[in-house]
Amino acid sequence: MKMKKFIFNVLALLAVCTAGNAQIAGLNIGYCNGEVSTSIHKEFCSQEKDVWVSGAIWLPASDINVNAGNELKSIRAGLAQKIGIDTMSVWVRETLDGANIAEGGIAKASVKKGWNEIELNQAIALDGTNTTGYYIGYSYHQTSVNQGLSVFLTPTPNALFLKHGDGEWTDRSAEGLLCVEGLVYGDNLPKLNLRLISVDAPEYYIIDKGKMTVTGEVRNMGVQTVTGFDVTARVEGIDETYTAHIDSTINFQENKTFSFEVSPSIQQTGTGNLIVTITGLNEGDDLNMEDNVASDQFEIVQHDYSRMVLIEEFTTEECVNCPRVASYIHELLDKEKYKNCVTALCHHAGYYTDWLTVPCASKYLWYFNAGGSTYAPALMTDRWTTSGASTPVFNPSSLSQLESVIDLRLSKPAFVSLTLKAEIDSEANVVKVNVSGNRAKEDITVNPARITVYLVENNINDRAQAGAGPDFVHQHVVRKVNSDWGEVLEWNGNDYSYDCQLDLRADYVLDNLQVIAMIYDYDQNDATLSEVANAAALSYADFTTDDIRSINAEDSEQVVYDLQGRRMSGDKLPKGLYIINGRKQVVK
């Protein structure tokens, strides 16, 4: 067996204290870590009157036996609200429908929102020989519709069993955990007992990069302070073990996060399963090794591509706060760190419209809660929606907040590439664009991947920008788009090549033009399913041209017309596209 060892620093500690035994009279056993939720979650509650509602967790025998030599004396049961509850009981059972080993109850006057600590009618002696585990639960009678169950929306095995009235028990542990726990008292509370709560492998492992960072969370369930522990990791099916030592002071019932790097010898794409185990504590043997193991799955991909993050700004000249956010984008793009990996474009909509508004800008207001209330300034970064949010649109409060979002996006691998080419066709008065590339895996999007190509212009003088000084100019303004919602990308195996044309207008300053392309997901029924897989940008200086000849603005011996057919003076022509001596030419 191969052995690889990595030594690393643990993430910043939140608190530090002298190692030793905490002066604890009792400890709580369960999954909610002593915390109670008062948030309403109707999906777990009964909508009937005059009905009993029950909830429970199951603790395996190992969690019971580690407390040998002590007694389970009471139960803490959480309520999100108490309205309409006239009776509440707690209980301990070996099976959900079995007889109560011990129980206790309170009447309406004693029922409280939050924790309700109820003593059992008889203490349960824990002798270390339990073989079945215990269900710890509570029941309450509601006289009217009540949303009383206290639940955290953290999926946890064996942590949420529910029963309404005469119905059957259902396991809802994949949706959350119930706030109920047993309270154990005695002179032999476990000293060393570290629990591995969770492990988080990255979503993807890139074979060509050859390493990944693993994070985890531990909780000290013993009364003695732990100052460090060993952790091992292995990928299921690979004969390798990766070991790290973590120096971290963890007090009684305190949680800490840790992180370490592994370099597994994976050669085949597919799905991997990472298994992490706490193997030893600085202070001695862990008394319950069965809660020291956790796992997480990840996808294995051969390679990825450099990511370019796309910022989309909703802005108008009517918006007094828009120059503030525009300055954030300008400062960010000016930083060396982001120059080749972030690009931006502006939709002039959200707070009224202005003279720079194009039709697609108003259509994209759909992203504000799929057509809900709109505002400016507002941003989308890769049309990506954070966990739990209902829209990809947000209003950054500071440059640092915007940078943190961009950094998070840049940390995500991109699995499709974009190579941009553009040329001016002077006869057709268009920009011809070709976008080509390939994908590292087939499912780069949930829905069929779409490609959108924008013609963008910079350095446009404002007319009446609210909240701006005299030197304000508009940047990243969308002028043209191939299709408002893009076009479905056609693949040749894992390769693609896409062509389109974007019309030019006489008032565009060619030197200020950019082409920006993105490949993204799109679900017309859900604004949150629009994540950009990758983007690319190309400035006019990198366009190619056909028969357009450049002349100097000072050249005056010419017969000059603009593209609307108006005769122009040859003296000091503004930059742009003109008909000079019968042919189209660029003035630089």
Side-chain angles (χ1 to χ4, degrees):
M1 176 179 291
K2 299 178 182 179
M3 178 68 71
K4 301 180 181 180
K5 187 170 184 179
F6 302 88
I7 306 298
F8 58 94
N9 293 325
V10 182
L11 301 180
L13 304 183
L14 298 177
V16 179
C17 70
T18 303
N21 293 341
Q23 299 303 308
I24 304 297
L27 60 80
N28 50 317
I29 55 175
Y31 300 108
C32 60
N33 298 331
E35 298 180 8
V36 63
S37 170
T38 54
S39 299
I40 302 299
H41 297 296
K42 295 181 180 180
E43 64 271 30
F44 302 117
C45 302
S46 173
Q47 306 304 310
E48 299 180 11
K49 300 178 181 179
D50 188 23
V51 66
W52 280 89
V53 175
S54 298
I57 63 173
W58 180 73
L59 297 177
S62 59
D63 283 9
I64 304 301
N65 293 335
V66 74
N67 294 288
N70 303 285
E71 293 180 327
L72 176 58
K73 290 188 174 183
S74 57
I75 304 293
R76 282 207 297 189
L79 287 179
Q81 63 174 227
K82 66 173 185 176
I83 299 172
I85 296 177
D86 63 359
T87 304
M88 185 175 187
S89 65
V90 297
W91 40 263
V92 180
R93 300 172 183 169
E94 289 188 345
T95 63
L96 282 170
D97 284 319
N100 293 341
I101 299 172
E103 60 189 33
I106 54 176
K108 180 177 181 180
S110 300
V111 174
K112 299 182 296 185
K113 178 181 179 180
W115 280 128
N116 293 267
E117 184 171 335
I118 304 172
E119 187 175 352
L120 295 171
N121 61 344
Q122 60 180 12
I124 300 176
L126 308 178
D127 60 9
T129 63
N130 185 282
T131 58
T132 61
Y134 285 146
Y135 286 94
I136 294 176
Y138 66 94
S139 304
Y140 60 80
H141 181 262
Q142 60 186 47
T143 57
S144 59
V145 175
N146 175 273
Q147 319 297 339
L149 284 168
S150 177
V151 176
F152 284 115
L153 300 181
T154 306
T156 306
N158 303 312
L160 183 57
F161 297 90
L162 299 179
K163 181 179 181 180
H164 296 166
D166 295 327
E168 299 292 325
W169 281 98
T170 58
D171 185 355
R172 305 282 293 274
S173 302
E175 301 171 64
L177 66 89
L178 184 67
C179 297
V180 63
E181 55 190 16
L183 298 179
V184 175
Y185 297 89
D187 296 327
N188 296 293
L189 298 176
K191 292 183 178 181
L192 296 175
N193 182 18
L194 205 60
R195 171 180 289 173
L196 182 55
I197 295 175
S198 64
V199 164
D200 186 17
E203 184 177 1
Y204 298 100
Y205 173 74
I206 312 300
I207 294 175
D208 287 356
K209 292 183 176 177
K211 62 182 179 181
M212 63 178 171
T213 299
V214 181
T215 60
E217 185 178 10
V218 294
R219 180 174 176 83
N220 188 356
M221 306 295 293
V223 298
Q224 183 172 343
T225 296
V226 173
T227 61
F229 56 93
D230 292 328
V231 60
T232 64
R234 66 181 180 86
V235 176
E236 191 171 15
I238 297 179
D239 190 23
E240 294 176 347
T241 301
Y242 318 93
T243 303
H245 179 75
I246 301 170
D247 286 316
S248 177
T249 300
I250 313 171
N251 300 312
F252 172 62
Q253 296 200 337
E254 184 179 19
N255 289 26
K256 287 291 176 68
T257 302
F258 64 93
S259 169
F260 67 103
E261 190 175 276
V262 299
S263 298
S265 300
I266 298 175
Q267 300 301 324
Q268 297 295 322
T269 60
T271 301
N273 186 40
L274 184 75
I275 303 169
V276 175
T277 306
I278 296 172
T279 57
L281 281 55
N282 286 0
E283 287 67 32
D285 293 335
D286 192 304
L287 296 175
N288 182 15
M289 290 296 295
E290 292 192 29
D291 64 0
N292 286 19
V293 182
S295 63
D296 192 27
Q297 289 191 331
F298 56 94
E299 186 175 346
I300 306 165
V301 181
Q302 184 66 47
H303 62 90
D304 65 344
Y305 302 96
S306 298
R307 176 179 289 280
M308 175 166 278
V309 177
L310 175 63
I311 299 173
E312 294 177 84
E313 179 187 10
F314 291 95
T315 181
T316 68
E317 288 200 341
E318 302 290 330
C319 168
V320 69
N321 288 314
C322 285
R324 170 181 58 85
V325 172
S327 71
Y328 296 163
I329 298 173
H330 176 75
E331 290 181 55
L332 184 140
L333 294 177
D334 205 38
K335 292 189 175 186
E336 195 65 33
K337 175 181 178 181
Y338 300 113
K339 281 188 175 179
N340 297 314
C341 57
V342 182
T343 191
L345 52 84
C346 291
H347 307 299
H348 279 250
Y351 185 72
Y352 303 101
T353 56
D354 60 29
W355 62 285
L356 293 170
T357 303
V358 293
C360 69
S362 297
K363 293 180 180 180
Y364 294 155
L365 297 180
W366 176 78
Y367 282 111
F368 291 79
N369 285 315
S373 59
T374 66
Y375 59 89
L379 298 184
M380 296 189 292
T381 51
D382 278 348
R383 300 186 181 181
W384 169 63
T385 306
T386 57
S387 178
S390 60
T391 170
V393 181
F394 70 103
N395 183 3
S397 60
S398 65
L399 173 59
S400 61
Q401 183 200 11
L402 178 57
E403 287 186 10
S404 67
V405 175
I406 297 298
D407 289 343
L408 183 58
R409 288 300 299 163
L410 288 172
S411 71
K412 305 295 184 182
F415 296 114
V416 64
S417 64
L418 294 88
T419 299
L420 269 175
K421 296 179 181 178
E423 66 176 357
I424 301 291
D425 183 333
S426 61
E427 295 300 323
N429 200 30
V430 297
V431 180
K432 292 182 175 179
V433 181
N434 173 262
V435 191
S436 61
N438 48 67
R439 59 188 177 184
K441 65 190 192 83
E442 287 193 8
D443 55 339
I444 60 169
T445 53
V446 176
N447 303 288
R450 290 176 176 252
I451 185 166
T452 307
V453 181
Y454 296 97
L455 183 64
V456 175
E457 186 175 1
N458 294 300
N459 301 319
I460 302 174
N461 291 327
D462 74 306
R463 292 182 179 176
Q465 176 64 57
D471 298 327
F472 184 85
V473 293
H474 292 292
Q475 306 288 355
H476 323 298
V477 178
V478 171
R479 290 300 206 176
K480 300 289 181 180
V481 63
N482 67 327
S483 172
D484 294 342
W485 303 106
E487 297 183 4
V488 174
L489 202 56
E490 295 183 4
W491 297 93
N492 180 14
N494 288 323
D495 301 324
Y496 72 91
S497 181
Y498 173 80
D499 295 290
C500 67
Q501 296 184 165
L502 303 170
D503 293 338
L504 288 171
R505 211 169 66 193
D507 59 332
Y508 297 168
V509 178
L510 295 182
D511 282 340
N512 295 335
L513 293 182
Q514 273 186 301
V515 170
I516 294 176
M518 69 172 181
I519 293 174
Y520 82 116
D521 207 341
Y522 175 65
D523 184 330
Q524 63 181 352
N525 299 312
D526 191 341
T528 67
L529 299 179
S530 297
E531 187 170 339
V532 175
N534 210 353
L538 188 72
S539 298
Y540 175 73
D542 297 314
F543 289 13
T544 58
T545 59
D546 53 6
D547 62 342
I548 295 180
R549 182 174 64 87
S550 296
I551 66 172
N552 294 321
E554 289 77 11
D555 292 345
S556 59
E557 301 299 322
Q558 312 284 347
V559 179
V560 183
Y561 293 89
D562 66 15
L563 296 186
Q564 283 71 44
R566 295 172 295 194
R567 180 72 181 263
M568 306 289 291
S569 169
D571 295 332
K572 302 292 184 180
L573 287 172
K575 295 178 181 180
L577 186 63
Y578 299 91
I579 300 173
I580 302 176
N581 292 339
R583 63 182 299 177
K584 291 179 182 177
Q585 299 184 47
V586 175
V587 173
K588 292 187 174 180

